[in-house]
PDB file of all heavy atoms in Angstrom:
ATOM      1  N   GLU A 276     -29.656 -84.579   2.183  1.00  0.00           N
ATOM      2  CA  GLU A 276     -31.043 -84.260   2.354  1.00  0.00           C
ATOM      3  C   GLU A 276     -31.750 -84.086   1.112  1.00  0.00           C
ATOM      4  O   GLU A 276     -32.715 -84.390   0.772  1.00  0.00           O
ATOM      5  CB  GLU A 276     -31.238 -83.033   3.301  1.00  0.00           C
ATOM      6  CG  GLU A 276     -32.550 -82.632   3.831  1.00  0.00           C
ATOM      7  CD  GLU A 276     -32.955 -83.546   5.027  1.00  0.00           C
ATOM      8  OE1 GLU A 276     -32.217 -83.505   5.953  1.00  0.00           O
ATOM      9  OE2 GLU A 276     -33.979 -84.183   4.926  1.00  0.00           O
ATOM     10  N   ALA A 280     -28.902 -79.578  -2.644  1.00  0.00           N
ATOM     11  CA  ALA A 280     -27.946 -79.003  -1.683  1.00  0.00           C
ATOM     12  C   ALA A 280     -26.516 -79.352  -2.014  1.00  0.00           C
ATOM     13  O   ALA A 280     -25.555 -78.990  -1.406  1.00  0.00           O
ATOM     14  CB  ALA A 280     -28.251 -79.561  -0.253  1.00  0.00           C
ATOM     15  N   ALA A 365     -19.506-103.439  -0.544  1.00  0.00           N
ATOM     16  CA  ALA A 365     -20.094-104.665  -0.432  1.00  0.00           C
ATOM     17  C   ALA A 365     -19.104-105.669   0.205  1.00  0.00           C
ATOM     18  O   ALA A 365     -19.491-106.596   0.988  1.00  0.00           O
ATOM     19  CB  ALA A 365     -20.344-105.278  -1.851  1.00  0.00           C
ATOM     20  N   LEU A 379     -32.167-113.369   5.793  1.00  0.00           N
ATOM     21  CA  LEU A 379     -32.600-112.470   4.657  1.00  0.00           C
ATOM     22  C   LEU A 379     -31.778-111.232   4.802  1.00  0.00           C
ATOM     23  O   LEU A 379     -31.611-110.643   6.012  1.00  0.00           O
ATOM     24  CB  LEU A 379     -34.043-112.130   4.846  1.00  0.00           C
ATOM     25  CG  LEU A 379     -34.909-111.850   3.681  1.00  0.00           C
ATOM     26  CD1 LEU A 379     -34.695-112.691   2.508  1.00  0.00           C
ATOM     27  CD2 LEU A 379     -36.290-111.817   4.039  1.00  0.00           C
ATOM     28  N   ALA A 412     -42.680-106.710  -5.072  1.00  0.00           N
ATOM     29  CA  ALA A 412     -43.712-107.397  -4.142  1.00  0.00           C
ATOM     30  C   ALA A 412     -42.948-108.458  -3.369  1.00  0.00           C
ATOM     31  O   ALA A 412     -42.207-109.219  -3.966  1.00  0.00           O
ATOM     32  CB  ALA A 412     -44.911-107.905  -4.800  1.00  0.00           C
ATOM     33  N   MET A 451     -38.687 -98.627  -5.011  1.00  0.00           N
ATOM     34  CA  MET A 451     -39.597 -97.805  -4.179  1.00  0.00           C
ATOM     35  C   MET A 451     -41.045 -98.141  -4.489  1.00  0.00           C
ATOM     36  O   MET A 451     -41.421 -98.590  -5.621  1.00  0.00           O
ATOM     37  CB  MET A 451     -39.290 -96.228  -4.653  1.00  0.00           C
ATOM     38  CG  MET A 451     -37.908 -95.860  -4.190  1.00  0.00           C
ATOM     39  SD  MET A 451     -37.954 -94.054  -4.025  1.00  0.00           S
ATOM     40  CE  MET A 451     -37.825 -93.544  -5.732  1.00  0.00           C
ATOM     41  N   ARG A 455     -45.458 -98.694   2.256  1.00  0.00           N
ATOM     42  CA  ARG A 455     -45.374 -97.230   2.740  1.00  0.00           C
ATOM     43  C   ARG A 455     -44.557 -97.342   3.994  1.00  0.00           C
ATOM     44  O   ARG A 455     -45.079 -97.788   5.052  1.00  0.00           O
ATOM     45  CB  ARG A 455     -46.918 -96.901   3.057  1.00  0.00           C
ATOM     46  CG  ARG A 455     -47.607 -96.181   1.922  1.00  0.00           C
ATOM     47  CD  ARG A 455     -48.232 -94.907   2.379  1.00  0.00           C
ATOM     48  NE  ARG A 455     -48.789 -94.272   1.125  1.00  0.00           N
ATOM     49  CZ  ARG A 455     -50.025 -94.552   0.673  1.00  0.00           C
ATOM     50  NH1 ARG A 455     -50.864 -95.169   1.335  1.00  0.00           N
ATOM     51  NH2 ARG A 455     -50.458 -93.909  -0.488  1.00  0.00           N
ATOM     52  N   PRO A 482      -7.967-105.580   3.912  1.00  0.00           N
ATOM     53  CA  PRO A 482      -8.000-104.458   2.892  1.00  0.00           C
ATOM     54  C   PRO A 482      -8.748-104.891   1.719  1.00  0.00           C
ATOM     55  O   PRO A 482      -8.474-106.035   1.081  1.00  0.00           O
ATOM     56  CB  PRO A 482      -6.463-104.124   2.812  1.00  0.00           C
ATOM     57  CG  PRO A 482      -5.713-105.164   3.624  1.00  0.00           C
ATOM     58  CD  PRO A 482      -6.659-106.003   4.203  1.00  0.00           C
ATOM     59  N   SER A 507     -41.513 -61.998 -19.037  1.00  0.00           N
ATOM     60  CA  SER A 507     -42.644 -62.245 -18.146  1.00  0.00           C
ATOM     61  C   SER A 507     -43.299 -63.459 -18.438  1.00  0.00           C
ATOM     62  O   SER A 507     -42.998 -64.154 -19.489  1.00  0.00           O
ATOM     63  CB  SER A 507     -43.652 -61.030 -18.288  1.00  0.00           C
ATOM     64  OG  SER A 507     -44.269 -61.242 -19.594  1.00  0.00           O
ATOM     65  N   LEU A 508     -44.263 -63.969 -17.577  1.00  0.00           N
ATOM     66  CA  LEU A 508     -44.959 -65.166 -17.797  1.00  0.00           C
ATOM     67  C   LEU A 508     -45.573 -65.185 -19.171  1.00  0.00           C
ATOM     68  O   LEU A 508     -45.599 -66.138 -19.969  1.00  0.00           O
ATOM     69  CB  LEU A 508     -46.002 -65.282 -16.663  1.00  0.00           C
ATOM     70  CG  LEU A 508     -46.907 -66.516 -16.788  1.00  0.00           C
ATOM     71  CD1 LEU A 508     -46.123 -67.817 -16.387  1.00  0.00           C
ATOM     72  CD2 LEU A 508     -48.074 -66.452 -15.729  1.00  0.00           C
TER      73      LEU A 508
END
Side-chain angles (χ1 to χ4, degrees):
Chain A
E276 188 85 54
L379 207 49
M451 295 204 286
R455 268 231 173 90
S507 70
L508 179 72

